[in-house]
Amino acid sequence: MKKISILFFSLLAVLMFTACNNDDDPENIETYSPAINSRAINGDKVVFSQNTSIIEVNLTKMTVTITSSYKDCDGNSHKLNTSAMQLTQVSGYTFSFNSGSTAFGEATNLTGYIDLSTVVAWYSFTANGTDNIVCTTHPIYSYGTTTVTDPDNGNQNSYTNSQYGFMIDATGEKCTMVITYFAPNLIGAIQADQIYWENLKLTPTTTGYTITGDKAESSLKGTNTITDINLIINNQCRALSGSFKCNNLEIKVNSNLFPSKEL
């Protein structure tokens, strides 16, 4: 199986999740402990919450169980403890799961996806019969295109190997953007295998988040300052679009959480 180590390197691996398995267990079980970012949505109202979780994937039985917490639109906290849900392959290493007719406490109609190559999980359910709860691990958008444009002459270059990760803080008001294989130039030359920008303004919305800012300094001090930041996480967090400027070039991104655009 394709492993997470090919994607999100030391920084996100440490800050986003931990994983373990029991070598003495005859079944192949992997257990992850990521932060889960939840948005409770009811009409125009959005309530953000972040909690730790346990996601257990049984690779022998091909099932997943989730233990976490969330807040509803009234700000009340609830526990989510699922039973084992069957994994169904959708595309490549991406699998779907659902609760069927089973209710997990106040949660009903749970559906979700997990990418076993990136260990990115997304799921949604109905709470209290009225609120739509949408949950993700810190999102990593690995499946899309980055386009670099010189605004002075219109010259462009596009490439598909960059990945965009967002570590959301516990308040839901700021995030760190991490990019792998960053190539802010017109020849596609990778300038940084890993680079990040901290304390970007994050705003939860009914469809995802917006990430905005006038200027942000990179982790590579003195280089790759970005400006005019306007990124949109939409399609209930399954898609990323928008742009920012770096080195006098405009960088546009269109990417997805999972490899199939239909998800």
Side-chain angles (χ1 to χ4, degrees):
M1 177 180 296
K2 185 180 178 185
K3 287 295 184 181
I4 184 69
S5 59
I6 71 169
L7 263 183
F8 250 51
F9 39 73
S10 58
L11 180 67
L12 287 183
V14 170
L15 296 180
M16 289 179 62
F17 65 87
T18 58
C20 62
N21 55 33
N22 185 351
D23 293 335
D24 297 327
D25 195 321
E27 295 183 347
N28 188 0
I29 297 175
E30 294 192 356
T31 302
Y32 303 92
S33 302
I36 293 292
N37 302 289
S38 301
R39 289 173 302 114
I41 306 161
N42 194 329
D44 293 332
K45 188 173 184 179
V46 181
V47 174
F48 173 87
S49 60
Q50 185 183 93
N51 294 280
T52 57
S53 70
I54 297 174
I55 297 177
E56 183 178 275
V57 178
N58 187 320
L59 295 171
T60 302
K61 297 179 178 179
M62 292 309 294
T63 60
V64 61
T65 60
I66 299 171
T67 302
S68 189
S69 303
Y70 65 93
K71 287 184 178 180
D72 61 25
C73 279
D74 293 323
N76 299 316
S77 296
H78 302 266
K79 297 288 187 181
L80 176 68
N81 297 290
T82 78
S83 56
M85 295 174 285
Q86 194 67 42
L87 293 171
T88 301
Q89 187 177 27
V90 177
S91 176
Y93 294 97
T94 302
F95 294 79
S96 66
F97 54 89
N98 67 78
S99 64
S101 59
T102 302
F104 306 127
E106 299 293 331
T108 59
N109 302 316
L110 187 150
T111 62
Y113 301 95
I114 186 167
D115 186 337
L116 296 182
S117 68
T118 60
V119 200
V120 166
W122 175 98
Y123 55 93
S124 69
F125 54 89
T126 301
N128 307 323
T130 58
D131 297 346
N132 183 30
I133 313 296
V134 181
C135 305
T136 67
T137 52
H138 290 314
I140 303 172
Y141 299 91
S142 304
Y143 307 100
T145 301
T146 299
T147 301
V148 181
T149 303
D150 186 337
D152 293 333
N153 54 31
N155 290 340
Q156 288 186 339
N157 180 59
S158 295
Y159 51 93
T160 60
N161 56 344
S162 285
Q163 298 138 349
Y164 296 79
F166 296 90
M167 291 180 290
I168 299 172
D169 78 354
T171 68
E173 297 176 351
K174 294 181 179 180
C175 71
T176 296
M177 177 173 69
V178 185
I179 302 178
T180 59
Y181 310 129
F182 186 53
N185 52 68
L186 295 173
I187 60 174
I190 295 172
Q191 191 163 320
D193 287 339
Q194 171 186 323
I195 188 171
Y196 61 90
W197 298 263
E198 297 179 305
N199 296 317
L200 302 181
K201 181 181 178 182
L202 180 86
T203 304
T205 70
T206 58
T207 58
Y209 303 90
T210 60
I211 300 158
T212 56
D214 296 327
K215 182 178 181 180
E217 302 292 335
S218 82
S219 55
L220 303 178
K221 303 302 183 184
T223 66
N224 297 299
T225 296
I226 60 174
T227 64
D228 303 278
I229 306 153
N230 185 16
L231 296 167
I232 300 172
I233 293 175
N234 54 22
N235 192 24
Q236 295 304 348
C237 296
R238 296 188 298 257
L240 170 69
S241 62
S243 65
F244 55 91
K245 292 181 179 179
C246 184
N247 299 333
N248 298 316
L249 300 172
E250 183 179 54
I251 299 174
K252 289 186 177 181
V253 55
N254 282 284
S255 193
N256 295 289
L257 199 63
F258 301 111
S260 173
K261 294 182 180 179
E262 286 72 32
L263 302 185

